[in-house]
Amino acid sequence: MPEMADPPSENEPDAPPSGNAPDASPSGGESPVPASVRAQLLATEHWGLLAARGTTQSEVLSRIGMFLTLTSAALVSLALVGQASKFSGIFPGFAIVVLGIVLLVGLLTQLRVMNTMMEDLQYVLAMNRLRAAYAELDPGIERYFMESRFDDMAGSRETYYFLGPRGPSQLLGSSAMFIMAVNSTLLGLLTAAAAGFVTASTALAAAVGALFGVALLALSLWRGSRRYFTFWKRHIPMFPTPQSSQAPPTPPAPPT
């Protein structure tokens, strides 16, 4: 008779079941969720962040368009009323009221633009963390990322502009800078009109308007930069950029 195999000992571990075995978690233990399921969960979160980011940007662009339309209509109405009144009589009071209303709408739009910039930053940091999770699931995929997987200041800058260091043109050409410039111009016109209503000196009215316009622009830049750097002082990244990654890359040696 053929020999019977010995039954498994109680001290011997059971063989792993067939199918998807649990994958190792990033912390070193075993995760009860397969890697494929975790990848689907991360992708769902990624798409949710992309949708929220796109909705926020679309909303603020609509707000900017509405503000610019109102500004254009206000300037056209000032031109028509000024031509009809020969820029005297009711025109100074009308100009002050119209410019004041447009400036109020502009300041509210600027506040929304600044809030949107911070919201966009949080979406960028959240998606950077998701890329870090993708790299933990598949370490070989990191070299295909154009955007960063680090959720600190250096990582956010790389995600916003991964073609190299960001220059001043990125700030000067931003929507926030554009709205600040328009609002500063409106405040300059408003204060110049008010000064012209009080005094007959055109030079004095122009100087007052220019002073108030430049002051608003400087104040807006200071408040925006203060809010941005205050956030980074309080932010604690989960995946900081390695020091070696922050150094400029060494150019490759010429072929021999």
Side-chain angles (χ1 to χ4, degrees), residues 11-38:
N11 297 328
E12 296 180 357
D14 297 333
S18 60
N20 291 332
D23 302 284
S25 63
S27 59
E30 289 189 351
S31 173
V33 182
S36 59
V37 177
R38 282 187 284 157

Side-chain angles (χ1 to χ4, degrees), residues 131-146 149:
R131 292 187 195 92
Y134 296 149
E136 289 179 347
L137 290 176
D138 184 7
I141 203 175
E142 181 182 357
R143 63 194 182 101
Y144 299 105
F145 290 159
M146 292 292 292
R149 64 181 181 91

